[in-house]
Structure formats: C-alpha cells, structure tokens
Amino acid sequence: MSTDPYWNHNTHYHPWVLDQVPDHARTALDIGCGDGLLARKLAGRCDAVLGVDTDARVIADAPATPTVHLEHTDFRDLDQTFDVVTAVATLHHVPLRDGLTTLRRLVAPGGVLAVVGLWKMHPLTDFPYYAALPAIRAVDRRHRRVLGGPEMVLRDPRETLAEIRTTAAELLPGAQIRRRLMWRYTLRWQNPGRELASGKRAGEGTARRSSRL
Ligand SMILES: C[S@@+](CC[C@H](N)C(=O)[O-])C[C@H]1O[C@@H](n2cnc3c(N)ncnc32)[C@H](O)[C@@H]1O
C-alpha cells in the first residue's frame, strides 16, 4: 500500500520511474519536479537528487530533505550530467526537439532517461485508445479518496504520439516508447556512452562534477 500523501495520473507512474533507476545510479535529476514527491522517492535509490522547476511557488512550498535539493531553474540551463534523469508530465512544456536534445545531454554515459509524457490525441490514430476509458475510470475510482496533488502549471501537449516517436527515434536511438493508461506514454532511453563500452563503471565521476548537489 502506498504511503504517498496523494495520487494522480502522474504519481501513478512513479513505480515505473523508480524501476528504471540503474543499480549504479548515484545522482538523479527530476525535471519539472513540482513539490518534489518523486525527487524524495529517488533519494531512496540515489545519494544526491536535484529537482528543478520553473515555478518558484511550488518549489518554495516543498518540504526540505538532506539529500534532495530543489531549485528554481529551467532544466535547459543545467550543465551537469546525472545517472538517472526523470521527467513526469513536463516534456510537453517545452518544444519537443529542444527538450529531448537537452535531456540527452543531461544523461551521463550509461545513465537512463525515464519520461512519463502526454501526447496530443489524434482523432484517427488514437481512436482505439478510447476503448481503454473504462479501465482508466476504474483506476480513478480505486484512488478517489486520495486523488489530488499540489496546484501546478499545466499545458496541453502539442505533439502527437507519432511525432514524438519520430523525433525520439532520431535524437535518442533505441528509446523505448509505450502508450499507457491514464493518457500517458513512457519513454526509456539508456545513454550508451563510451564509458560503458570500455567497461568503466557507469556514472563514475558524474557526482563529483556536480556543483549543485
Ligand atoms: C504538469 S506539472 C508536473 C509536475 C510533476 N512532475 C508531477 O508529476 O506532478 C509540470 C511542471 O513542469 C514545470 N516546468 C515547465 N517547464 C519547465 C522547464 N523548462 N524547466 C523546469 N520545469 C518546468 C512546471 O512549472 C510544472 O511544475
């Protein structure tokens, strides 16, 4: 049973995100971290976690913990790398190509990018998805007593899933994208990096390069 203070379509995927954290991971970045709920969970798996959000208010209200640092920053301005980078319901807030290019740069060699995203529904190609509505409603009903979360900046997704797949295939070769319930897709990509290929321990050195953690 979850001990989370609330549940919503984003927190629903936190277990999936945590499953993507590689064993070697020491440093984690959560972009669009909101109140830091996922960042605090990542701290159970990593020594140092940075959460960034462009909404100063939601960051200011977040509880502080020793291993989680939350910062009022646009993730595109970061210049460090991390063993795991997570983005839940945030990628669609920036132009897709810009966002994926930045995320690729932020993942350390051997590190993993885990995205839970939203796409713009297309009436023709997404028509079969509506068959999933009863299942989505059933999951919602099961969580109705804990449904909620902090007030956050929202925006409608601009890209269809086909566009997201095409751009990801170009920028993040090997990325696995799956359409999921709750109007979400998941994207997992591992940075193949030179260090893995040469047998060096993945992620080594990335924590020390960080000045913010
Ligand atoms: C829909 S909320 C999701 C928040 C949280 N990840 C969750 O799952 O509840 C999207 C968040 O991304 C933040 N955001 C938007 N653009 C951003 C950017 N360029 N860099 C960092 N955060 C950003 C917004 O302020 C907002 O808090």
Side-chain angles (χ1 to χ4, degrees):
M1 192 67 185
S2 167
T3 54
D4 287 356
Y6 56 85
W7 176 92
N8 57 42
H9 290 179
N10 297 332
T11 65
H12 185 71
Y13 287 101
H14 285 182
W16 178 84
V17 173
L18 295 172
D19 279 350
Q20 310 315 311
V21 177
D23 288 342
H24 71 262
R26 293 177 186 162
T27 57
L29 167 70
D30 183 38
I31 68 151
C33 62
D35 66 350
L37 181 61
L38 177 59
R40 290 189 291 282
K41 292 179 186 178
L42 287 165
R45 300 285 308 276
C46 300
D47 299 336
V49 181
L50 174 65
V52 295
D53 203 293
T54 43
D55 181 355
R57 179 195 46 85
V58 77
I59 294 267
D61 291 346
T65 70
T67 50
V68 178
H69 179 62
L70 301 185
E71 200 169 290
H72 177 216
T73 301
D74 188 316
F75 72 96
R76 293 169 293 178
D77 294 334
L78 295 172
D79 56 8
Q80 307 139 253
T81 61
F82 301 82
D83 300 324
V84 62
V85 176
T86 61
V88 177
T90 300
L91 182 56
H92 66 285
H93 283 248
V94 300
L96 179 63
R97 181 167 287 274
D98 187 19
L100 287 181
T101 305
T102 303
L103 290 172
R104 179 179 64 186
R105 173 172 67 71
L106 295 172
V107 181
V112 166
L113 169 65
V115 174
V116 177
L118 281 73
W119 76 93
K120 184 171 128 193
M121 298 290 277
H122 188 286
L124 286 181
T125 47
D126 288 310
F127 185 70
Y129 191 80
Y130 287 97
L133 263 179
I136 295 174
R137 291 227 174 91
V139 180
D140 281 345
R141 266 199 305 277
R142 216 169 53 234
H143 294 92
R144 66 184 179 284
R145 287 198 174 80
V146 280
L147 182 66
E151 209 176 291
M152 294 209 231
V153 179
L154 305 174
R155 75 170 297 152
D156 289 332
R158 286 165 286 194
E159 292 93 8
T160 64
L161 196 55
E163 288 163 341
I164 293 166
R165 283 188 196 281
T166 304
T167 310
E170 182 197 331
L171 297 175
L172 305 172
Q176 298 161 334
I177 299 183
R178 286 186 60 187
R179 192 173 4 201
R180 307 274 188 170
L181 286 182
M182 329 313 291
W183 320 105
R184 301 288 183 270
Y185 70 87
T186 57
L187 179 156
R188 182 189 194 278
W189 177 74
Q190 181 153 29
N191 180 351
R194 280 193 306 271
E195 294 176 24
L196 265 195
S198 67
K200 185 176 169 189
R201 190 183 180 285
E204 214 160 66
T206 57
R208 274 162 216 87
R209 275 206 299 276
S210 160
S211 59
R212 296 175 198 252
L213 293 175

